[in-house]
Amino acid sequence: MEKLKFADITKEDRNEFYRLMQMYARELDEHYDRNTEEEVLKNWTDTMLERQLDTTRPRYLKFGYMQSDVIGFFYGDMDKAEDEGFKKIGYGCILEFYVLPEYRRYGYGKEMFLHLQNMFRKAGVKMMYLTADQITGKPFWEALGFTSTGEICPDNQQEVYERTVSDQVRVFKTKRIKIISCFGKE
């Protein structure tokens, strides 16, 4: 398996990020027999990009890529007392995580997770949590050592999973490159 590289997702990457968000939302919609409206998806995407500009707290919105091919993205944050909605203060929260289907089951999702975990560790996070859909999320996260807390998140009605942040340090390459779309467009 080729090692992944990581790059911050910025406003300049909005179109590529939005294309991946469309695929991600479509998959989740199929799992829950729903349809995410275009405007909701655009707002969701723009909100994540806007929050990246807030330098008062660490947020991690990154592409995972091989050479110049984007293979997925993740979004992590650390919960603070002032946050709205469901929260676990001081925990790292994996808010969004997506690997393109053709790159699944090769270890790339695990590498993306380990990179995010490293960032949580550097920020002093000891525990992390997420919510997982029952079809693709639950098996993946359980294989990585997350366990159900028995809680249901009122924000999305999904099970809450958590685990400790490992002390094992992994080294990854991170640099800014020109991202070439996985759809063949720059």
Side-chain angles (χ1 to χ4, degrees), residues 9-15 17 44-54 61 75:
I9 301 174
T10 66
K11 285 189 172 194
E12 290 77 29
D13 301 313
R14 185 187 186 284
N15 290 338
F17 183 44
W44 186 13
T45 302
D46 289 341
T47 297
M48 284 189 271
L49 289 169
E50 285 297 320
R51 288 184 176 165
Q52 277 296 92
L53 301 175
D54 178 359
L61 180 61
Y75 182 46

Side-chain angles (χ1 to χ4, degrees), residues 113 117 125-128 145-146 162-167:
F113 161 71
Q117 179 179 243
V125 172
K126 303 291 184 204
M127 293 290 293
M128 58 191 144
F146 281 80
E162 64 182 42
R163 70 165 272 182
T164 59
V165 172
S166 171
D167 290 333

Side-chain angles (χ1 to χ4, degrees), residues 12 32 40 61 68 81 85 104 108 121 127 143 147 149 166 173:
E12 290 77 29
Y32 292 98
V40 169
L61 180 61
S68 59
R104 294 178 189 168
Y108 297 120
R121 182 185 313 97
M127 293 290 293
T147 57
T149 64
S166 171
K173 294 180 182 178

Side-chain angles (χ1 to χ4, degrees), residues 135-154:
I135 296 173
T136 54
K138 181 180 176 182
F140 175 75
W141 295 112
E142 286 179 344
L144 290 173
F146 281 80
T147 57
S148 175
T149 64
E151 299 170 275
I152 300 295
C153 178

